[in-house]
């Protein structure tokens, strides 16, 4: 069993790497952003609450995302392990997660912190295309779909996220600096924090993550 958290600013590659690792390990990836985007698309009560906040680049209230994660951890597939992508994002969320895991007799094995300079983040976000159905992520230049504008997996028309507009990107980066970056200090004393250079091709970054995980009892993922 492997319980992982991906930390890192918007555009650092959390979703890209989380998808790769989830399929390698056969453990579920839980992206709070994907859950919220689905809720917005379905116009559910949760989606209505989250829509304006997300589009402007602000964080959704802690109690809303804590509820999403608690529910996901209760699913049978999460017994094999999990990969949290985009959660926790505040100290209050991190302490809520500790409580959820303690209740289940579980703990975090690694917190993978992807480091990427701001100018690279902005370039990645401005060229990103996403599948509205399964959350698959592409980039116009660095990771284009096989057929232009269409998801490789289900053929859906790819979209640009509303929060990838420049104003929302600026807000997301400042929310990250203000509320999320300090989580490295929260996890460091537990010796679970692994800082990964997130610059390079997705394969290079995946290789660094594989090396960082190698001391885990499962042996970590095979080298890409
Ligand atoms: P969320 O969906 O979590 O967005 P984010 O954290 O801003 O992260 P991104 O999805 O933008 O980036 P990423 O790091 O996953 O990068 P990706 O792999 O896509 O959250 C969205 C919103 O939901 C928040 O603003 C908030 O409102 C709300 N929310 C979610 N969780 C919340 C929480 N816990 N609390 C409160 N609110 C919450 O890659 C980016 C691009 O770069 C892609 O195009 C990709 O193809 C490309 N790329 C990736 N890696 C590489 C590489 N190595 N080289 C070249 N290109 C690359």
């Amino acid at each position: 069993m492997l319980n992982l958290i991906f930390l890192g600013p918007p555009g650092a590659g959390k979703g890209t790497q989380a998808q790769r690792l989830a399929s390698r390990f056969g453990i579920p990836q839980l992206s709070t952003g994907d859950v919220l985007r689905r809720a917005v698309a379905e116009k559910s009560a949760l989606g209505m609450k989250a829509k304006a906040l997300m589009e402007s680049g602000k964080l959704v209230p802690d109690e809303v995302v804590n509820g999403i994660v608690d529910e996901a951890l209760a699913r049978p597939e999460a017994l094999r392990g999990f990969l949290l992508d985009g959660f926790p994002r505040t100290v209050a969320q991190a302490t809520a997660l500790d409580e959820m895991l303690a209740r289940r007799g579980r703990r975090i094995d690694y917190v993978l912190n992807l480091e990427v300079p701001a100018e690279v983040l902005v370039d990645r976000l401005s060229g990103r295309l996403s599948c509205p159905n399964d959350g698959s992520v592409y980039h116009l230049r660095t990771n284009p779909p096989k057929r232009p504008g269409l998801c490789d997996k289900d053929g859906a028309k790819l979209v640009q996220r509303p929060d990838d507009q420049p104003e929302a990107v600026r807000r997301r980066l400042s929310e990250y600096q203000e509320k999320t970056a300090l989580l490295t200090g929260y996890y460091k004393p537990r010796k679970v924090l692994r800082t990964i250079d997130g610059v390079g091709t997705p394969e290079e970054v995946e290789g660094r993550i594989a090396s960082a995980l190698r001391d885990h009892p499962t042996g970590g993922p095979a080298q890409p």
Side-chain angles (χ1 to χ4, degrees):
M1 189 201 291
L2 190 56
N3 303 326
L4 295 179
I5 292 174
F6 266 101
L7 274 187
K14 303 182 293 297
T16 300
Q17 296 300 329
Q19 271 184 2
R20 286 168 178 249
L21 235 66
S23 64
R24 212 173 255 277
F25 275 116
I27 55 175
Q29 168 195 7
L30 172 63
S31 158
T32 42
D34 284 349
V35 173
L36 291 166
R37 276 184 289 279
R38 270 197 299 276
V40 170
E42 288 160 5
K43 299 189 168 63
S44 67
L46 169 63
M48 303 303 243
K49 214 180 285 183
K51 186 172 191 290
L53 290 168
M54 290 178 77
E55 288 181 359
S56 66
K58 288 188 193 154
L59 293 185
V60 170
D62 290 333
E63 62 278 12
V64 174
V65 278
N66 291 347
I68 292 172
V69 173
D70 203 18
E71 229 176 87
L73 292 180
R75 290 192 206 121
E77 59 268 30
L79 289 173
R80 297 197 301 271
F82 57 79
L83 217 157
L84 290 172
D85 157 17
F87 183 94
R89 257 178 152 98
T90 63
V91 171
Q93 292 178 20
T95 51
L97 177 63
D98 284 343
E99 189 272 323
M100 290 175 218
L101 294 177
R103 244 193 292 133
R104 295 174 169 93
R106 298 173 69 173
R107 64 182 171 78
I108 293 297
D109 295 306
Y110 294 109
V111 176
L112 301 170
N113 181 37
L114 291 177
E115 280 191 339
V116 176
E119 64 277 11
V120 179
L121 298 174
V122 171
D123 175 64
R124 286 185 183 177
L125 293 174
S126 60
R128 172 165 56 187
L129 293 171
S130 314
C131 175
N133 295 338
D134 65 9
S136 297
V137 178
Y138 304 86
H139 188 277
L140 281 170
R141 200 182 63 255
T142 59
N143 180 26
K146 293 193 180 85
R147 289 176 297 159
L150 301 177
C151 178
D152 291 348
K153 291 183 192 146
D154 63 10
K157 196 166 181 295
L158 299 174
V159 294
Q160 195 188 23
R161 279 174 34 181
D163 62 346
D164 282 345
Q165 298 299 324
E167 186 54 33
V169 167
R170 268 193 292 278
R171 168 76 75 154
R172 286 161 63 204
L173 290 171
S174 84
E175 288 276 84
Y176 173 80
Q177 284 308 336
E178 219 175 284
K179 297 172 182 161
T180 310
L182 44 98
L183 286 181
T184 54
Y186 184 86
Y187 287 112
K188 201 167 181 190
R190 302 184 190 189
K191 317 243 180 282
V192 292
L193 186 71
R194 300 288 182 275
T195 294
I196 311 285
D197 176 4
V199 179
T201 64
E203 291 70 30
E204 285 166 344
V205 178
E206 189 180 354
R208 288 175 204 138
I209 292 173
S211 306
L213 294 181
R214 203 149 298 128
D215 57 337
H216 188 266
T218 63
Q223 269 289 11

